[in-house]
Amino acid sequence: MVSVGRRALVLRKHKGCDLREQPTAREDQTNNQGVRKRTMGRKSSKKHAGVNADHNVESACGGNANDNNRPRKDKTTTPVPQTSVLRQQIDPETAKYFAEIANVIEGTEIDPEERSVICGNALEETRGKEAELATDYIISHTLQTLLEGCSLDHLCSFLQSCAKNFSHIAADRSGSHVVETALKSLSFHLQDNENHSLIEQALTKICKAIVVNPVDIMCNCHGSHVLRSLLCLFKGVPLEDFHSSKSSVGLAERLNLKAPHAKDHGPPKSQQIFPKLLKNFVSELLNAASKDISTLQVNQFSSLVLQTALKVLAGNEQELLYLIQVLLGSSTESANAGNLLEGKTIRNILRLVEETAYSHLMEAILEFAPETLYNELLMEVFRKSLFRMSTHHCANFVVQALASHAKSPDHMGVIWEELGTKFHDLFEMGKTGVVASVLASTQRLHSHEHECCQAIAAAVCTGDEFPKCIVPRILFLENFFCSRDKSNWSWPHGTKIHVVGSLILQSIFRLPSELIQIYVTSITSLEEHQVLEASKDPSGSRVIESFLNSNISAKQKRKLVAKLRGHFGELSVHPFGSFTVEKCFTASNLNLRETIVSEMLPLQAELSKTKQGPYLLRKLDIDGFARQPEQWKSRQASQQSALKEFYATFGPTETKSNESVRKPFKKESFLADTVSKSKPGKLKDIRKEIETTLASAKTSNTPFLAHQGSKKMKRSKDEKKKHRKDGESESQRKKMKV
């Protein structure tokens, strides 16, 4: 029973709260379920689901976000027997007390200090009943609010009290949210180094409770999420960094569309919060679960925990190698002998990569594996099996990871040897991601770039239609390869452009122009209506933009831009076409620019209402063209002249693939060759002059721009004095003559 004195003390803290008409405990249980709406990813329920009920909802939870539409059903995942815990009934007075607390802290605004006191006192009432209260659907919401508003002392005290039943609480649908709220609140206190010792004590006690029986919590859809949050907290990484990762982010990095993140996926070692605790916890976790490693390898929820462990251990070579050794199933004897893999292990890995959960795990292993281990996996395990794996609905993602994380041109050579002649087969089987990953890796490692472009073109187009049909067929990869009569295939109007086909073309147009001439010929051969349709498609517009951003000559770009003549106004108000219009304007000469702006002029009012319209109106100076067309032309011409002079001084230069031959600047490629490299000598002189000026400005306590202005004023004064002296000397000479 709850102490009446304690309860009165807590409730008196808030003087403005009227507690005269509080419902009874039974009324609160039946009438107020779902009144306090806290999302936290939970589905509302009118029943207090126990831990046993939670174990049957695995199919609706978990999974890796970075799956690239991989089938999620894993028929071979064996259910792990869970320890049954009987839920105890919450006594009516306790339920009523926490309902009153909820009304106090959620109903009106409270002073932060007063709120902290109320939350701390209320949390003290949970002592000895943490498991029952945290797993109650209604009271768990109140506990989350209390944990967000209490002091660090009360927060750590609550977690230490939960340690005895931590696995049970973490595996519960409601309890898991309570624990994660507590961990998130802890992360806010990590900024103060004085708090680390107190937090470490609480986390250490929790870790000791987890490693007693880690398999249950690792294989539970709720418990696995709690463990991932805990691992992130050890490293001091924000919890959202790993939990909210999108598949598009990983795909963008894999295809070189986004700069790769730091290899350690977290802050530098100097900022790691609890490195020793992290290493010890992972080591003890693996030791305790060593007998069940075969289950953990193929369970989708434990796989997520192990992937997170790989991420947070990145940068700690010794611990990372030990973890990978366990996950690969290697024996300690073979590892000590300097060979992580043996015959039995190799055969087992080739079988396991066809499982959904383990294929995800292997992707993470390949991402963080040291070069020696990557080399051993490629040469000893996967070599001569790459094409067979590429045809499998799960193992093909492992092949993509192998290509994406290849360390050297030699590795790329091994992959190319097996897959370079199989692009047509891979396209037919729908494994376009493998081809895209191989292309991106050739570009990243500058190995087999030209051969890869030629192989892709040959896979989609041969005979008399080559090379005209290359780009259309890549844009509609799935539609083309599913057609029965490929020889008579034509552009399918109204069909959405294939996403991976678009990504492949974007990667190709980032290559040096001399390697992709057949693709340039193909895209500039498109009909006007085809270019227009592609510009309105979210994937097709990206291809057009990548072509206009490439280092291809301005003449070829203007050839494509001219095909949109008469449609620039229509495209400017389109959500995707508006971006294409901007790139077309940048790549155009003065006449084409005038055409683009003239077509957009009647749509000024409509443009101002669209998302991209106001930006286009400003950048293209539509209003200036409407008021004074001749002055607008003069400004555009001066901009062109200034940029030509800039490029003539500082670049641009083109570099051939695998060669150090530089081409001189072409005058006709104005604004097309935007990728430039400055001349090092002149840049050094300019940088030295700027640094000298800044240094002198600092010593004189004068801002840089003011300093520049004072120089000009000083020069003008000197010139005036000189003119005055010259005038005086001239008048003196005239007097002497007289």
Side-chain angles (χ1 to χ4, degrees):
M1 300 292 289
V2 180
S3 169
V4 177
R6 168 77 66 180
R7 183 180 65 183
L9 174 64
V10 175
L11 296 179
R12 272 201 305 272
K13 292 288 183 181
H14 191 64
K15 298 179 181 178
C17 181
D18 188 358
L19 301 174
R20 289 174 296 177
E21 298 181 2
Q22 289 293 340
T24 64
R26 182 169 295 178
E27 289 173 340
D28 181 66
Q29 294 283 345
T30 56
N31 297 334
N32 292 331
Q33 292 189 14
V35 172
R36 290 174 290 279
K37 297 181 179 179
R38 296 179 60 91
T39 57
M40 295 297 289
R42 293 193 239 186
K43 294 181 180 179
S44 60
S45 172
K46 293 185 179 181
K47 295 182 180 180
H48 293 265
V51 67
N52 293 329
D54 291 334
H55 296 151
N56 297 323
V57 296
E58 292 184 353
S59 59
C61 305
N64 191 343
N66 197 14
D67 58 358
N68 300 335
N69 299 322
R70 185 188 325 223
R72 301 311 311 158
K73 292 183 179 180
D74 191 359
K75 297 179 180 180
T76 60
T77 300
T78 54
V80 178
Q82 305 287 340
T83 305
S84 178
V85 178
L86 294 176
R87 185 185 300 281
Q88 296 184 8
Q89 184 70 29
I90 306 295
D91 64 89
E93 189 171 350
T94 301
K96 182 179 180 181
Y97 168 69
F98 280 100
E100 293 171 350
I101 288 293
N103 291 332
V104 170
I105 60 179
E106 295 180 4
T108 56
E109 293 184 2
I110 310 175
D111 181 74
E113 293 184 3
E114 188 176 350
R115 182 185 183 87
S116 178
V117 172
I118 295 174
C119 292
N121 290 338
L123 281 176
E124 289 182 10
E125 297 299 329
T126 65
R127 193 163 298 167
K129 302 187 290 288
E130 293 85 4
E132 293 88 339
L133 297 175
T135 55
D136 183 90
Y137 182 74
I138 300 296
I139 298 177
S140 64
H141 291 95
T142 306
L143 286 182
Q144 287 179 251
T145 306
L146 296 175
L147 291 168
E148 290 171 345
C150 69
S151 65
L152 178 61
D153 290 334
H154 284 104
L155 184 61
C156 292
S157 177
F158 175 81
L159 282 172
Q160 292 190 39
S161 299
C162 289
K164 182 180 178 181
N165 298 303
F166 187 83
S167 296
H168 166 55
I169 297 172
D172 184 81
R173 182 187 63 172
S174 299
S176 62
H177 289 287
V178 173
V179 173
E180 288 203 67
T181 301
L183 295 177
K184 188 172 184 179
S185 298
L186 276 184
S187 66
F188 296 139
H189 294 281
L190 290 175
Q191 299 175 359
D192 190 352
N193 293 334
E194 295 180 357
N195 298 330
H196 288 184
S197 59
L198 185 61
I199 295 174
E200 188 171 7
Q201 289 177 10
L203 294 179
T204 302
K205 193 168 183 179
I206 290 174
C207 292
K208 289 180 179 179
I210 292 173
V211 297
V212 172
N213 185 17
V215 177
D216 284 359
I217 188 170
M218 290 177 73
C219 295
N220 179 273
C221 63
H222 306 297
S224 65
H225 203 279
V226 171
L227 279 183
R228 294 167 68 195
S229 299
L230 185 62
L231 288 168
C232 295
L233 185 63
F234 288 153
K235 183 140 188 180
V237 180
L239 308 182
E240 293 79 10
D241 277 13
F242 297 142
H243 289 349
S244 62
S245 60
K246 297 181 180 179
S247 59
S248 57
V249 176
L251 182 62
E253 292 178 0
R254 180 167 289 182
L255 301 182
N256 300 331
L257 298 175
K258 180 182 178 183
H261 47 340
K263 195 65 179 174
D264 60 356
H265 280 72
K269 289 187 177 181
S270 59
Q271 296 182 10
Q272 291 182 10
I273 310 300
F274 306 112
K276 186 177 179 181
L277 185 58
L278 170 63
K279 296 173 188 177
N280 293 338
F281 177 63
V282 173
S283 177
E284 292 180 18
L285 199 70
L286 294 175
N287 291 336
S290 58
K291 294 180 180 179
D292 299 295
I293 194 65
S294 58
T295 300
L296 299 180
Q297 286 174 329
V298 295
N299 182 277
Q300 65 179 111
F301 304 116
S302 59
S303 174
L304 293 171
V305 176
L306 296 171
Q307 290 172 53
T308 304
L310 286 166
K311 291 179 181 180
V312 297
L313 282 177
N316 301 298
E317 295 293 332
Q318 186 176 354
E319 290 76 16
L320 189 63
L321 271 175
Y322 174 67
L323 174 57
I324 293 175
Q325 171 193 334
V326 173
L327 299 182
L328 294 177
S330 301
S331 63
T332 309
E333 293 77 12
S334 61
N336 292 335
N339 185 15
L340 281 175
L341 307 172
E342 52 189 13
K344 183 180 178 181
T345 303
I346 292 172
R347 290 190 297 272
N348 194 41
I349 291 174
L350 289 173
R351 178 183 61 82
L352 286 173
V353 292
E354 296 183 356
E355 305 288 343
T356 302
Y358 193 80
S359 64
H360 283 304
L361 192 55
M362 180 54 70
E363 289 180 58
I365 290 172
L366 292 170
E367 180 178 0
F368 299 104
E371 184 170 353
T372 53
L373 178 57
Y374 174 92
N375 184 71
E376 193 171 351
L377 285 169
L378 176 62
M379 303 302 292
E380 301 295 333
V381 180
F382 299 120
R383 191 177 186 182
K384 299 183 180 179
S385 301
L386 293 179
F387 179 68
R388 181 184 61 79
M389 291 168 59
S390 298
T391 62
H392 192 271
H393 67 278
C394 287
N396 82 89
F397 290 93
V398 176
V399 177
Q400 293 183 42
L402 274 167
S404 299
H405 303 298
K407 314 294 183 183
S408 67
D410 292 337
H411 294 157
M412 192 66 247
V414 173
I415 296 171
W416 179 257
E417 183 182 353
E418 292 191 47
L419 300 179
T421 59
K422 304 291 186 180
F423 284 0
H424 184 272
D425 298 329
L426 293 172
F427 281 146
E428 280 193 328
M429 290 183 285
K431 300 301 182 285
T432 53
V434 176
V435 178
S437 297
V438 171
L439 171 63
S441 296
T442 62
Q443 184 180 8
R444 176 172 56 86
L445 297 171
H446 302 294
S447 172
H448 299 83
E449 294 168 287
H450 185 59
E451 295 93 326
C452 191
C453 290
Q454 294 292 330
I456 292 173
V460 298
C461 188
T462 55
D464 298 336
E465 295 181 340
F466 187 88
K468 183 179 178 181
C469 64
I470 295 175
V471 169
R473 292 182 179 180
I474 295 178
L475 287 174
F476 298 97
L477 270 175
E478 186 176 358
N479 183 281
F480 171 71
F481 280 99
C482 288
S483 64
R484 294 181 179 179
D485 187 8
K486 293 183 176 60
S487 58
N488 293 322
W489 181 88
S490 59
W491 183 284
H493 296 285
T495 303
K496 194 172 182 180
I497 287 175
H498 195 264
V499 173
V500 180
S502 167
L503 294 172
I504 288 173
L505 287 173
Q506 290 177 54
S507 295
I508 287 172
F509 287 127
R510 288 200 303 274
L511 292 169
S513 59
E514 60 269 18
L515 301 181
I516 57 173
Q517 285 304 311
I518 55 175
Y519 292 89
V520 175
T521 303
S522 179
I523 196 171
T524 53
S525 300
L526 292 175
E527 301 292 335
E528 292 181 6
H529 65 89
Q530 294 172 344
V531 179
L532 177 62
E533 191 172 339
S535 299
K536 293 181 178 181
D537 185 273
S539 300
S541 60
R542 296 279 189 176
V543 175
I544 303 297
E545 292 168 34
S546 64
F547 174 78
L548 296 176
N549 277 335
S550 65
N551 62 354
I552 297 161
S553 68
K555 184 178 180 180
Q556 295 285 2
K557 294 180 183 180
R558 289 196 291 268
K559 185 178 179 180
L560 184 71
V561 173
K563 294 178 184 290
L564 293 173
R565 197 187 300 267
H567 301 284
F568 291 113
E570 173 188 354
L571 286 174
S572 65
V573 294
H574 192 275
F576 303 114
S578 57
F579 295 96
T580 304
V581 170
E582 181 191 354
K583 300 299 180 184
C584 288
F585 184 85
T586 303
S588 298
N589 55 19
L590 185 56
N591 292 333
L592 269 175
R593 287 187 173 194
E594 186 178 357
T595 301
I596 293 171
V597 176
S598 300
E599 292 182 20
M600 293 173 61
L601 192 57
L603 299 172
Q604 272 186 285
E606 190 175 349
L607 271 169
S608 62
K609 299 176 184 178
T610 63
K611 185 176 182 180
Q612 183 75 357
Y615 170 74
L616 283 177
L617 290 172
R618 290 194 305 272
K619 181 168 184 179
L620 277 59
D621 193 16
I622 306 294
D623 187 55
F625 178 81
R627 287 186 285 102
Q628 297 174 324
E630 294 302 322
Q631 290 190 10
W632 182 90
K633 292 179 187 178
S634 177
R635 286 195 297 272
Q636 294 296 321
S638 63
Q639 287 178 13
Q640 291 186 7
S641 176
L643 282 171
K644 282 183 180 180
E645 291 178 4
F646 176 82
Y647 287 142
T649 305
F650 298 107
T653 55
E654 296 177 356
T655 306
K656 290 186 177 181
S657 178
N658 299 325
E659 295 180 13
S660 59
V661 181
R662 296 180 181 269
K663 293 183 179 180
F665 172 69
K666 297 180 181 179
K667 291 184 179 180
E668 67 174 7
S669 62
F670 160 70
L671 287 179
D673 303 311
T674 55
V675 182
S676 62
K677 293 185 179 180
S678 303
K679 294 182 179 180
K682 292 192 175 183
L683 268 186
K684 286 181 181 178
D685 295 339
I686 294 171
R687 189 180 296 112
K688 187 175 180 180
E689 182 180 350
I690 292 172
E691 289 174 353
T692 304
T693 309
L694 286 172
S696 60
K698 287 180 180 179
T699 55
S700 60
N701 295 323
T702 309
F704 172 66
L705 293 177
H707 186 75
Q708 294 293 90
S710 65
K711 279 188 173 182
K712 292 179 181 179
M713 292 176 64
K714 188 176 181 180
R715 281 197 297 268
S716 62
K717 287 180 181 179
D718 292 341
E719 289 174 0
K720 286 180 181 179
K721 287 181 180 179
K722 184 178 180 182
H723 288 309
R724 194 179 297 114
K725 287 181 179 180
D726 292 342
E728 290 175 356
S729 59
E730 184 67 25
S731 60
Q732 288 177 0
R733 280 197 295 271
K734 287 180 180 179
K735 288 179 181 179
M736 291 292 291
K737 286 181 181 179
V738 173

